[in-house]
């Protein structure tokens, strides 16, 4: 009986339930974004953009 049911309906594999204690917040993304914005991860374009942001932030201080 079980073999016939498997042949007609197929086998359904269900994933495991997520652990209740495991909660990943948005902190990781924000941390990655922070390192990109400040240009710390070594990318040349990120460093240039960080420099532009620094200059824009300091415009009002010059005069």
């Amino acid at each position: 009986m079980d073999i016939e049911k498997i042949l007609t309906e197929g086998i359904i594999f269900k994933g495991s339930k997520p652990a209740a204690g495991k909660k990943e917040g948005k902190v990781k993304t924000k941390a990655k974004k922070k390192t990109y914005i400040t240009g710390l991860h070594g990318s040349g374009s990120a460093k240039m953009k960080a420099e532009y942001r620094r200059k824009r932030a300091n415009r009002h201080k010059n005069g």
Side-chain angles (χ1 to χ4, degrees):
M1 182 69 182
D2 290 335
I3 295 174
E4 290 178 15
K5 186 177 178 184
I6 291 172
L7 290 175
T8 57
E9 296 178 13
I11 301 173
I12 299 172
F13 295 98
K14 295 183 181 179
S16 64
K17 293 182 181 178
K22 233 183 173 183
K23 290 186 179 178
E24 292 189 30
K26 295 182 180 178
V27 178
K28 288 185 178 180
T29 305
K30 287 182 181 176
K32 287 180 183 178
K33 201 177 259 190
K34 170 75 174 160
T35 56
Y36 184 80
I37 288 171
T38 54
L40 295 176
H41 72 284
S43 168
S45 63
K47 288 178 182 176
M48 284 183 70
K49 287 180 181 181
E51 183 63 30
Y52 295 146
R53 287 187 185 99
R54 243 180 263 119
K55 285 181 182 178
R56 189 185 323 134
N58 292 328
R59 274 187 199 151
H60 69 281
K61 294 180 183 178
N62 291 337

